[in-house]
Every structure is written in structure tokens, then in C-alpha cells.
Amino acid sequence: MDKLRIEGGGPLAGEVRASGAKNAALPIQAAALLTAQPLTLSNVPHLKDVVTMNRLLAQMGVSVSLEDSTSGHTLTLQAADLNTHVAPYELVRTMRASIVVLGPLLARFGQADVSLPGGCAIGARPVTVHLDGLRAMGAEVDVVDGYIQARCSRLRGARIVMEMVSVTGTENLMMAATLADGETVIENAAREPEVVDLAQCLIAMGAKISGAGSSVIRIQGVEALHAAQHRILPDRIEIGTFLVAAALTRGQVTVQAAQADLLDAVLQKLRKAGAEIEVAQDAISLNMHGRRPLAVDIHTAPHPAFPTDMQAQFCALNALADGVGVVHETIFENRFMHVPELQRMGADIRLENNTAVVRGRERLKGAPVMATDLRASASLVVAALAADGQTTVDRIYHLDRGYEHIEDKLRQLGASIQRIAA
């Protein structure tokens, strides 16, 4: 099992290029199931989860072609000859996002057997919103022996009021509705940029969608979708992680191929932490001018509020900041598993239910730590970059699910970091 060895203590400086967004790529890959014609995607990140989704699609009979490029990979998918409508446990258990094949399979083929998903152990992410929405569209849906079994002749448009805001639920139902008979209205829909990116891809494929990015999305079903090309949007969480790393190390970093309007809440908190931030058309620059960051309070909530996927990184920032920061996690009930590991590095953090009270310290010390989930692993890496001495981060397979060549990119910024093969 690979590890990262990090020698901390120095400021990050330089430029790095953002990758395409994992959380946008995965549902858009699944959208290829909606048509027999090819879907060509550019700026696709080379990540473990993307590879897993390609394997899942390929085992169903989807043609998968990947071309490497220095500016992001190009992926062509064509679902002309599917040989199964089953998404097996062996693949789905490693990645919760694989449930997004459910809606496209059911809409185009009238049947889908999808294993209940796995993924990071950060708390309950119920699939009931997916199933209730599909039932409202006329599907027969059961859960048998750990598999979601869904059947229909043709889905029909419906008004769906989502019980809770769910990104993958919104994406699944939006894709299913593109081929339904009539209009579907999704209320209390997720507003995340990745939902908008999926909608733009579907529109390029011939779907009729309005309202993506708002809490009400309308989809007018069509008979068939067609071939299209789409560029995956930049990964706002990767961008935010690099900016936090720069702030923690009192450095100066520019992230290229970035899109600032995806990170309004994060940039606002970084400015409150004392960072000077400049925004260009496709770049974001952060400069701490050698200063220690100031502690900031965080309250996670669905977009456009502060993203839960940046909570762990800001816990690390507060651990080295001047002052006390209070971090409220409202999305997942088990997303403070990074706290004991940060404490091993000397962080002063007190947990109270879904709240972390972080009293900043002048320095942290390197230590052996273990990643427990994707974003927790990112928080340990950024903390290690600013800590005194050496830190070894174990179980980085979590990190590889969401960050493309993170050690190479951090070395471009002057970090002393290396991957140790198992």
C-alpha cells in the first residue's frame, strides 16, 4: 500500500494546473449510456474513480477509448452494444458515485440491476431519493439481495420534490428524465456546478433541460439523444486544496486552468484568513506575503454555501492559524475522522458532536498519520507541508481517487514530497 513521505516547513511557490473535476466526470461518463452514439469528453482527470467508472461501463459492453494529453485526457465512450444491465458489487462497492448508472440504464433500456454503493466511510448517503424519484416516474423499484432492481416500459415525466438535497440523486433523475415521456420537474434539486456541467453535456447530446444551477430543474423528455463532445469543468476542490496549502505554508501560488466562480465561498474564507487573492479569466493567485493565516469559522451546507469537501482542509488551516476557528459540519455526520490524525501532529482540536473547535498553534510536528477518506487525506497532506519535520501519510489510495498526480503537482510548487511504493 503506497504512502507519501513529506518534509514540511517551507512555503509553496509557483504555478500549477488544475485537473478536470472528478465529481463532474463520473456522472457525465454514465451519461454515455443514454445513447448508442459516441460521447467524447475532454479534460478528463486520470483518477482511480474515473478508471473504475470506465471499467464498470466496459464490463457492460460500452466501448472505452482514452487518449492521453498534457492538458487533460480525452475519453470517448460508445454504448451501442450493451451485453448486461447489471452494475456488480465488486466495482460499485469501491465508489458511491457509480449509482449514477441507474437512471441512464433504466431510461434507455427499461431495466437496471445496480448494487448498493460503497465508497468513503464519511456517513450515511441514502439512496432513497433516487428510488423515490424513479418510482414517481413510473418505474417498479425493489432492493433484493443488496441490489437495486428497477424496471419500466418507458419512464414518464413527473413532478419530483426531493426529500433532501442530493447531488447524485439530482443527476440520476435528470439523466433518467431526458428520455422520459413528457416533462419532469425536479424541486429541491442540487445546485452544484457539477450538476450544471452534466446538464450542459446532456443538452449537447440533444436533451431539453432548463434551470440547472437553481433549485428547480425542468426536463422535457425526447425520443433519443445523439453524439456530442463536452469539456469537463475544472476541479474546484482540487483548486481549493492547492490554495489552502499555499495559505498554510505562507506561500504564493497560482492555479492555472481554474474557474473562480466555482469557489466563491472558499475564496471568501481564504480572504478572511488574510490571503491576498487575484482572479484572472482562467487563473487564481494566492499570496500570503509570508504571514500566518488567521482562523476562520466554517459552516458547511449545499452549494452555493461552503462545500463539505473543503471542510477537512480548513480544519488543517485553522490548526496553524492565529486564533480559534469553529467548524460546523452539517452534511455528513462522520466527517471528522481526520481530527485524531491532525492531533497526532500536535493540532489543538476539540470535537463536540458535529462541531470542531480548532485553536491554532504556531507550529505542527511531522508524524506518521493514516488517511481515512478522500478529503481527510488531503487535509493531512496540506498540514504536513507546513509541519516541522517528516510526515508519512498512509493509505493514500483514498487520495488517488480524487487528486491527479498530487505529489508531482506539489513538487512543482517546491514541496518535498515523494511516493513510497508498497
Side-chain angles (χ1 to χ4, degrees), residues 108 126 131 218 226 231 247 273 324 362 372:
R108 182 165 163 225
L131 310 191
R218 296 179 180 274
H226 53 65
R231 181 175 178 82
V324 178
E362 184 71 32
T372 54

Side-chain angles (χ1 to χ4, degrees), residues 184-219:
T184 298
V185 180
I186 305 174
E187 299 188 21
N188 198 28
R191 300 166 62 186
E192 271 69 6
E194 294 79 13
V195 173
V196 177
D197 205 38
L198 172 61
Q200 291 173 343
C201 177
L202 294 171
I203 291 168
M205 296 169 69
K208 297 180 179 179
I209 301 173
S210 62
S214 75
S215 60
V216 180
I217 301 176
R218 296 179 180 274
I219 309 101

Side-chain angles (χ1 to χ4, degrees), residues 58-120:
Q59 71 88 33
M60 292 178 182
V62 177
S63 170
V64 178
S65 175
L66 182 66
E67 296 181 13
D68 292 337
S69 166
T70 56
S71 60
H73 309 285
T74 298
L75 175 66
T76 300
L77 302 166
Q78 186 165 8
D81 300 301
L82 254 65
N83 51 42
T84 180
H85 308 105
V86 177
Y89 172 75
E90 307 86 71
L91 291 174
V92 175
R93 68 182 178 87
T94 64
M95 185 181 67
R96 292 197 65 90
S98 51
I99 195 174
V100 293
V101 302
L102 176 63
L105 279 175
L106 185 62
R108 182 165 163 225
F109 301 102
Q111 57 182 313
D113 294 336
V114 179
S115 172
L116 290 170
C120 285

Side-chain angles (χ1 to χ4, degrees), residues 185-422:
V185 180
I186 305 174
E187 299 188 21
N188 198 28
R191 300 166 62 186
E192 271 69 6
E194 294 79 13
V195 173
V196 177
D197 205 38
L198 172 61
Q200 291 173 343
C201 177
L202 294 171
I203 291 168
M205 296 169 69
K208 297 180 179 179
I209 301 173
S210 62
S214 75
S215 60
V216 180
I217 301 176
R218 296 179 180 274
I219 309 101
Q220 186 69 42
V222 297
E223 288 294 328
L225 299 183
H226 53 65
Q229 297 182 353
H230 180 77
R231 181 175 178 82
I232 304 295
L233 89 171
D235 193 321
R236 59 193 173 107
I237 305 303
E238 184 200 39
I239 296 165
T241 301
F242 284 128
L243 295 176
V244 168
L248 265 176
T249 60
R250 310 184 189 188
Q252 180 179 0
V253 164
T254 296
V255 183
Q256 301 286 357
Q259 197 172 321
D261 61 355
L262 304 177
L263 293 114
D264 288 338
V266 171
L267 297 182
Q268 181 185 51
K269 291 297 181 181
L270 286 169
R271 290 188 174 102
K272 288 187 176 180
E276 177 187 302
I277 294 176
E278 294 185 3
V279 172
Q281 184 175 358
D282 60 352
I284 304 172
S285 298
L286 180 146
N287 193 344
M288 292 301 293
H289 297 284
R291 296 189 298 262
R292 181 185 180 190
L294 304 174
V296 291
D297 293 337
I298 299 295
H299 185 99
T300 67
H303 191 80
F306 191 91
T308 181
D309 281 354
M310 285 300 303
Q311 177 259 104
Q313 297 89 314
F314 271 79
C315 277
L317 183 145
N318 279 338
L320 279 161
D322 183 7
V324 178
V326 179
V327 180
H328 295 281
E329 173 60 54
T330 71
I331 307 297
F332 297 121
E333 73 277 10
N334 197 24
R335 204 163 203 179
F336 280 121
M337 291 188 289
H338 49 282
V339 167
E341 302 304 304
L342 290 172
Q343 289 170 334
R344 288 174 55 81
M345 302 173 70
D348 183 352
I349 306 175
R350 186 177 78 255
L351 281 179
E352 299 175 356
N353 298 319
N354 68 332
T355 300
V357 181
V358 189
R359 188 176 300 276
R361 291 192 163 172
E362 184 71 32
R363 309 299 300 177
L364 296 179
K365 292 184 179 180
V369 293
M370 182 177 68
T372 54
D373 62 72
L374 171 54
R375 304 308 173 184
S377 58
S379 75
L380 300 178
V381 169
V382 298
L385 292 168
D388 293 332
Q390 185 180 98
T391 298
T392 302
V393 183
D394 203 353
R395 296 179 68 185
I396 61 168
Y397 61 86
H398 290 294
L399 199 68
D400 292 336
R401 289 184 48 230
Y403 292 90
E404 184 176 31
H405 306 307
I406 190 170
E407 68 271 25
D408 295 336
K409 291 187 175 185
L410 288 172
R411 275 196 293 268
Q412 293 176 33
L413 301 175
S416 177
I417 178 172
Q418 65 181 107
R419 181 179 292 254
I420 307 168

